[in-house]
Amino acid sequence: MGNIVAIVGRPNVGKSTLYNRLVGERQAITDDVSGVTRDRMYGTCEWNGKIFTVVDTGGFVRNSEDIFEAAIRTQVRIAIDEATAIVFMVDVTTGITDLDEEVADMLRRTDKPVFLAVNKVDNHQRLIDANEFWSLGFDNTFFIASISGSGSGDLLDGVTEILPEKEDSGEGAIPKFAVVGQPNVGKSSFTNALLGEERNIVTDIAGTTRDPIHSTYTKFGKKFMLIDTAGMRKKAKVHEDLEFYSVMRAIRAIEDADVCFLMLDAKDGVEAQDMKIFDLAKKRNKGVVLLVNKWDLMEKETNTARDYEKEIKNKIAPFTDVPVLFISALEKQRIFKAIEVGLEVYENRTRKIKTSVLNEVIGDVIERNEPPSHRGRFVKIKYITQLPTYYPAFAFFCNYPKHVKESYRNFLENQLRSHFDFTGVPIGVFFRKK
């Protein structure tokens, strides 16, 4: 299962600040420009060699006092259901409040690991005050100051220690596809069209409504697993919870999948929420196939598929080597084509290239287009090899790895893509000291 760490707690205890620290400052800056904390919902954190998704539940609450407490309770409940681990944040300057007690009470009943983070502990007096929080009864209690970052390393050490190792999809693994996208784009119609009425060929592994359903699918001589996040809206009553809930499910599905089918509605194109899902899949190095659904309803003469695809690629740049398929789940147009393309992307993601071939083909390219010199340093790339990772990543050994320009890194990635098929798959390009 994918690892999700949810940060919960009442407003203004510093959840967003901790979140920004964990996922890297860059995201915080872009979000401040747009002035919405609600955009700061999830991002990726890497610590001690483990990668996990951090969810800031604070991004989901609209500020009105009366719904605050109810909304926070709901979020804690969803986090308990969906997350791998929970960071419960409190504020030393206010002491233990009634709402803290209530959240603590909910969290003590779960068997999920809970980490209590007492925030704003930044002087000696506050360190003494912070000890009262041990009374909440959590073994994993950390005193931190998220603004300066003090203590957050210890907290992360604690969290990553309990996260399970990601099992590698080795030989003989069944490709896992997740159908993701905004509500109402047609994810369930797509799944139903694929599975058809013949439910006897479906084996439900996790048939509870709470889990995305994993169905193993064998049809037309193809075998794969479909992670269906559709039909997960029944639980939520309020719109806000619905949004939080569907985001949590999408993250879990992406974490579990090898290839993500990101479904778009033909009349809406790529929206901000789609870009978030796309970026998350890319950051987690998952294969991506874009499915433009309800294409049959578009006015054919106004919109050619080619122009439409060009528009999409402009939005998702620089990672544009992604298949775009125009489908209609209801009319069952091109849905099996989608599976074929998904399997090709899966193959591309598992593709291994011999070191000798790499050095011959890409070595030749480098000889003709040497890296630009940087501050008088001439970069010489001596040798290339593919790294033993679960997605395609390449190490270029050279004399000045830090002096290779971003534009040249992109050039090498494009060369790898044009000589070997990595369509639909993010590629890692690293420079190492020889």
Side-chain angles (χ1 to χ4, degrees):
M1 294 301 276
N3 291 324
I4 299 178
V5 176
I7 307 174
V8 303
R10 52 192 180 78
N12 306 324
V13 291
K15 295 192 292 294
S16 297
T17 317
L18 177 67
Y19 166 83
N20 290 334
R21 187 157 278 291
L22 299 190
V23 303
E25 305 303 318
R26 259 219 333 277
Q27 191 165 354
I29 296 166
T30 53
D31 287 343
D32 285 342
V33 175
S34 58
V36 247
T37 41
R38 284 194 51 242
D39 274 359
R40 261 186 227 162
M41 299 194 282
Y42 48 92
T44 314
C45 177
E46 186 169 357
W47 189 262
N48 291 346
K50 287 185 183 170
I51 298 181
F52 52 95
T53 300
V54 185
V55 178
D56 169 21
T57 59
F60 291 88
V61 180
R62 314 288 192 279
N63 288 4
S64 77
E65 286 307 318
D66 49 332
I67 66 150
F68 252 167
E69 306 212 354
I72 286 158
R73 276 183 220 114
T74 311
Q75 286 182 3
V76 172
R77 226 166 281 135
I78 294 174
I80 287 171
D81 284 350
E82 302 290 332
T84 321
I86 296 161
V87 174
F88 170 27
M89 253 186 126
V90 290
D91 177 346
V92 69
T93 62
T94 55
I96 297 174
T97 68
D98 295 349
L99 191 51
D100 292 334
E101 288 277 13
E102 207 178 316
V103 172
D105 192 48
M106 292 170 75
L107 290 173
R108 278 195 295 266
R109 296 181 197 163
T110 171
D111 46 8
K112 298 269 172 88
V114 176
F115 297 83
L116 179 66
V118 186
N119 194 18
K120 306 183 189 173
V121 183
D122 49 14
N123 63 36
H124 187 63
Q125 183 52 48
R126 287 181 176 183
L127 188 59
I128 294 166
D129 296 344
N131 282 300
E132 76 158 307
F133 286 91
W134 286 105
S135 70
L136 291 175
F138 295 103
D139 294 343
N140 293 318
T141 294
F142 295 86
F143 299 158
I144 69 168
S146 58
I147 278 197
S148 65
S150 94
S152 54
D154 296 341
L155 172 65
L156 279 170
D157 287 345
V159 171
T160 48
E161 207 167 291
I162 58 92
L163 292 182
E165 292 288 345
K166 181 97 172 86
E167 75 292 351
D168 209 14
S169 313
E171 288 298 306
I174 303 178
K176 294 200 275 293
F177 297 148
V179 185
V180 291
Q182 300 194 60
N184 304 326
V185 290
K187 298 189 290 292
S188 23
S189 321
F190 177 70
T191 312
N192 293 341
L194 273 179
L195 299 175
E197 283 6 276
E198 308 149 55
R199 285 291 170 151
N200 56 345
I201 55 166
V202 174
T203 26
D204 284 345
I205 297 172
T208 56
T209 47
R210 200 188 295 157
D211 285 330
I213 295 174
H214 294 54
S215 313
T216 303
Y217 177 103
T218 28
K219 225 175 179 188
F220 307 105
K222 309 212 186 307
K223 188 170 185 185
F224 54 90
M225 194 180 273
L226 204 58
I227 303 171
D228 176 19
T229 59
M232 60 199 186
R233 304 170 47 187
K234 295 179 191 69
K235 274 174 81 172
K237 289 176 286 294
V238 197
H239 175 70
E240 273 83 89
D241 305 343
L242 173 74
E243 180 187 17
F244 179 42
Y245 197 46
S246 17
V247 166
M248 287 293 266
R249 304 318 282 297
I251 293 172
R252 253 179 73 180
I254 290 170
E255 290 277 345
D256 290 348
D258 300 306
V259 176
C260 302
F261 289 114
L262 172 51
M263 196 172 270
L264 310 169
D265 186 317
K267 62 177 193 307
D268 299 332
V270 179
E271 300 187 317
Q273 193 61 36
D274 303 314
M275 279 309 299
K276 281 208 173 119
I277 298 174
F278 181 78
D279 286 337
L280 188 66
K282 182 173 78 181
K283 277 200 184 109
R284 303 300 280 110
N285 301 305
K286 305 295 182 176
V288 181
V289 178
L290 294 177
L291 300 180
V292 182
N293 191 22
K294 309 181 191 174
W295 186 245
D296 52 320
L297 306 177
M298 297 292 279
E299 290 292 322
K300 279 296 163 283
E301 50 280 8
T302 57
N303 240 323
T304 69
R306 190 178 296 149
D307 294 342
Y308 198 98
E309 180 170 340
K310 211 160 138 190
E311 220 168 285
I312 290 179
K313 298 252 166 125
N314 284 340
K315 284 210 170 150
I316 60 172
F319 176 36
T320 53
D321 188 9
V322 176
V324 179
L325 285 180
F326 296 88
I327 68 162
S328 164
L330 275 181
E331 301 292 324
K332 303 195 175 175
Q333 285 172 1
R334 288 183 287 283
I335 55 169
F336 296 112
K337 176 75 178 151
I339 292 304
E340 276 170 22
V341 172
L343 289 165
E344 284 165 17
V345 169
Y346 176 79
E347 299 231 311
N348 295 347
R349 189 170 178 255
T350 48
R351 175 163 287 120
K352 298 278 179 260
I353 295 163
K354 285 202 182 103
T355 303
S356 54
V357 175
L358 262 179
N359 283 282
E360 186 180 328
V361 175
I362 303 298
D364 198 38
V365 169
I366 292 171
E367 241 169 66
R368 289 199 307 274
N369 306 274
E370 294 198 331
S373 65
H374 185 253
R375 295 186 184 154
R377 303 255 164 90
F378 288 94
V379 180
K380 284 271 176 262
I381 295 172
K382 313 251 178 27
Y383 175 80
I384 314 147
T385 184
Q386 186 168 357
L387 297 168
T389 46
Y390 59 89
Y391 71 99
F394 300 88
F396 289 76
F397 290 91
C398 60
N399 49 356
Y400 298 116
K402 288 200 171 62
H403 293 273
V404 181
K405 293 190 170 138
E406 184 64 18
S407 55
Y408 194 74
R409 200 204 72 82
N410 295 341
F411 165 74
L412 290 176
E413 179 181 325
N414 291 335
Q415 290 300 320
L416 285 163
R417 288 185 182 282
S418 64
H419 287 89
F420 310 102
D421 191 357
F422 289 118
T423 295
V425 186
I427 300 183
V429 171
F430 302 99
F431 298 96
R432 301 262 167 93
K433 185 88 176 145
K434 180 72 177 125

